[in-house]
Amino acid sequence: MFNFGSILSHILIDRSLTNFSVLLSTHPRCDCPGLTVAWPQDLRPFVMLFPWERYHEGLDSLPFLVDISNSAVPRVRSKRCRLSTLLEGVPCDECAEISQHVTQLADAARNPKSHTNYRFLGLAHMQDLAKGYADQTRQLRLQGLNESRQYMSTLTQLDDYSRLLMAISEQDIPRLRQIINVALRNGAGVREIVNKLEDALEGVYCPRGYGASDLDIVTLVFRLGGRQLLFALNQSLGLPSICTLRTRSTFTVITLSQPL
């Protein structure tokens, strides 16, 4: 059945579209200003966080150009920009779509992952990474110096113990135990003990302080061998002298008398 109303409505719609197209073609067009970057205020500047490694032509490149002639108000322009727009100051549709990419860049720059590839990071992120690596290098250097000092200290202690063992095993040191006991009581270390032993071998050091056993031995030597044997042992073995014996001991003299 022939529908005259339907045909009339189609004619009116086609006419209106034609008139709108004619209007658009005759309306004066303005230069597309591009899109002003709406960068979050809580982030560092757009120029410092923009991933410049992706600013190129080719795979993984960004679909827009950046104008930073005014760094305070950066602008972007789509690579498919028509360079003209109907309304002055309003970007074309292609440039308006770039706002989604800017939002994605802001989200990625806010908290980048530790495994993020460097080409997705901005200059500020690279500065943070360089500072972190510098701090880590400084800590490792200090740790290496501390471990080197500990290593050298351990080698020195081992050398001192070796000297002590060699001195004890190869030399006949008079009054060895007393020398070591006196040094330990004075808080001496292994190196000081070795130095005392070497001084004792050269005869320039003789430890003071005798125990009861030393005095008993000297008393026995004095009673059996007299002054000369005691002097010889004093010089060779470091036993107490006759003066020390008389100072530290009490002699009882028994005199036999004839009966009345």
Side-chain angles (χ1 to χ4, degrees):
M1 182 178 180
F2 182 75
N3 191 343
F4 180 77
S6 176
I7 294 175
L8 181 62
S9 63
H10 283 293
I11 293 174
L12 293 176
I13 292 174
D14 292 340
R15 182 175 296 176
S16 63
L17 290 176
T18 302
N19 294 335
F20 183 71
S21 299
V22 172
L23 178 64
L24 290 179
S25 60
T26 58
H27 191 279
R29 303 185 68 83
C30 306
D31 294 336
C32 176
L35 178 68
T36 302
V37 176
W39 196 248
Q41 296 295 325
D42 59 328
L43 294 178
R44 284 175 284 187
F46 171 78
V47 176
M48 297 299 295
L49 295 178
F50 183 79
W52 294 103
E53 285 290 329
R54 298 182 61 192
Y55 195 67
H56 59 83
E57 296 291 341
L59 297 177
D60 198 30
S61 62
L62 294 172
F64 56 86
L65 303 175
V66 179
D67 179 11
I68 55 174
S69 56
N70 183 2
S71 59
V73 187
R75 307 183 70 87
V76 292
R77 182 186 300 275
S78 173
K79 293 180 179 179
R80 297 183 293 107
C81 177
R82 299 178 181 178
L83 302 179
S84 62
T85 181
L86 294 177
L87 300 177
E88 184 177 1
V90 178
C92 64
D93 295 340
E94 285 75 8
C95 291
E97 294 176 355
I98 302 301
S99 61
Q100 299 178 358
H101 296 280
V102 175
T103 302
Q104 293 176 359
L105 291 178
D107 294 339
R110 188 178 302 278
N111 187 20
K113 305 299 181 181
S114 59
H115 58 272
T116 303
N117 195 296
Y118 290 161
R119 68 174 180 271
F120 295 103
L121 299 178
L123 296 177
H125 295 141
M126 300 301 289
Q127 289 178 349
D128 295 339
L129 288 175
K131 184 177 182 298
Y133 288 140
D135 294 339
Q136 184 178 2
T137 302
R138 191 179 303 108
Q139 293 177 358
L140 292 175
R141 185 183 296 111
L142 292 176
Q143 181 179 353
L145 292 176
N146 292 332
E147 291 180 353
S148 177
R149 293 192 188 98
Q150 294 177 359
Y151 177 72
M152 295 301 297
S153 177
T154 302
L155 288 181
T156 303
Q157 292 179 359
L158 290 176
D159 183 64
D160 293 339
Y161 281 114
S162 298
R163 290 176 58 199
L164 177 61
L165 292 177
M166 294 293 291
I168 295 175
S169 62
E170 295 183 357
Q171 303 292 338
D172 186 12
I173 304 174
R175 304 189 64 204
L176 172 63
R177 192 174 80 175
Q178 186 173 0
I179 295 174
I180 296 178
N181 288 336
V182 171
L184 291 177
R185 283 198 302 269
N186 294 332
V190 178
R191 178 175 299 181
E192 296 180 4
I193 294 176
V194 174
N195 293 335
K196 293 295 184 182
L197 294 178
E198 292 176 350
D199 292 341
L201 284 173
E202 296 175 0
V204 297
Y205 171 72
C206 182
R208 297 183 178 182
Y210 300 98
S213 59
D214 295 326
L215 296 176
D216 291 340
I217 293 175
V218 171
T219 302
L220 180 60
V221 170
F222 178 70
R223 293 302 184 188
L224 296 178
R227 291 173 176 270
Q228 293 182 353
L229 179 59
L230 179 57
F231 177 78
L233 294 179
N234 172 257
Q235 295 297 317
S236 62
L237 300 179
L239 292 179
S241 63
I242 185 63
C243 295
T244 303
L245 181 60
R246 287 178 176 177
T247 302
R248 301 285 299 276
S249 302
T250 302
F251 291 91
T252 302
V253 178
I254 300 177
T255 303
L256 295 178
S257 60
Q258 295 179 357
L260 297 176

